[in-house]
Amino acid sequence: MNKLSLEIREAIAMSYDFSQFEKVVEFVNNENIISPSILNLYPKVKITLAVSHDILEEIKKTPEINDNFKITNFDFFHAIPEKSLLYLIYNLFVQVKQELIVKFLENLYKSTEVYTRLLIIDKFNDEKYFNSNWASNPYNELIKNAGFTVTNLILTGTEFKIIEVLRN
């Protein structure tokens, strides 16, 4: 897996106003962690990393991860680790099978309150799905069926985009 460059992580962090949240839970399913860049810009935000067990030790050794991060070992396809009003996940649509995406969204819906947000950071190669034609995107249907609404499609100035999703 290629790690995201610092420039890309910073561009993602600068593209969204994280200051409105006390806590962010980032689901970490690979080596790419966005939240150190968020913490650099928004030092008051508390960060929890929900890390899959197979990469937990590797994540703990990451130089950017320090005492400002709470780390939980969690399989977020089966349950959600803790309450927050903002969750963040990278590469959900690109690397995860559709049935696991559905399971993740269903678990998130069951575990959260109305108005909870999820930021999905993904690389969309097909621009037609990331503009006014979003309604025709096959992922939009998955999101809607799980009880969420896409509220914002955010460009980051990189090949990665942010999909802001709100729990109904």
Side-chain angles (χ1 to χ4, degrees):
M1 156 114 352
N2 294 334
K3 285 194 171 187
L4 289 176
S5 71
L6 179 60
E7 293 80 17
I8 290 175
R9 289 182 289 147
E10 286 177 347
I12 291 168
M14 287 188 289
S15 298
Y16 193 81
D17 180 11
F18 291 92
S19 68
Q20 56 190 315
F21 301 96
E22 269 184 48
K23 178 170 63 173
V24 174
V25 175
E26 180 175 1
F27 298 107
V28 182
N29 58 357
N30 55 44
E31 298 174 359
N32 291 302
I33 304 172
I34 309 297
S35 50
S37 294
I38 295 168
L39 195 58
N40 285 341
L41 292 170
Y42 304 97
K44 293 182 180 180
V45 174
K46 292 176 178 52
I47 305 285
T48 297
L49 299 176
V51 181
S52 61
H53 69 282
D54 56 327
I55 60 168
L56 180 63
E57 293 307 314
E58 192 175 336
I59 295 301
K60 287 181 177 178
K61 295 176 189 172
T62 304
E64 298 169 312
I65 305 304
N66 54 40
D67 293 340
N68 294 322
F69 295 86
K70 178 181 174 185
I71 300 175
T72 59
N73 179 5
F74 226 83
D75 179 355
F76 42 85
F77 293 111
H78 293 97
I80 303 302
E82 63 182 75
K83 296 282 184 192
S84 179
L85 290 177
L86 181 66
Y87 295 88
L88 173 69
I89 192 163
Y90 168 78
N91 260 3
L92 178 65
F93 295 135
V94 174
Q95 292 187 334
V96 178
K97 293 178 184 173
Q98 185 169 327
E99 59 269 14
L100 286 177
I101 295 170
V102 170
K103 197 171 196 176
F104 168 73
L105 290 171
E106 288 172 350
N107 286 335
L108 188 65
Y109 184 86
K110 290 178 200 169
S111 303
T112 57
E113 301 170 12
V114 174
Y115 304 120
T116 296
R117 293 182 192 165
L118 170 66
L119 299 183
I120 303 167
I121 299 164
D122 250 310
K123 186 189 290 189
F124 285 91
N125 296 327
D126 193 343
E127 287 296 321
K128 75 178 181 184
Y129 284 138
F130 205 85
N131 58 28
S132 59
N133 294 327
W134 174 257
S136 64
N137 186 313
Y139 299 119
N140 189 43
E141 203 60 33
L142 291 176
I143 291 166
K144 281 176 41 182
N145 289 341
F148 294 88
T149 302
V150 173
T151 54
N152 206 352
L153 303 171
I154 304 165
L155 300 175
T156 65
T158 73
E159 66 268 34
F160 293 90
K161 287 119 180 128
I162 301 171
I163 304 166
E164 180 187 53
V165 176
L166 185 68
R167 184 190 182 280
N168 299 324

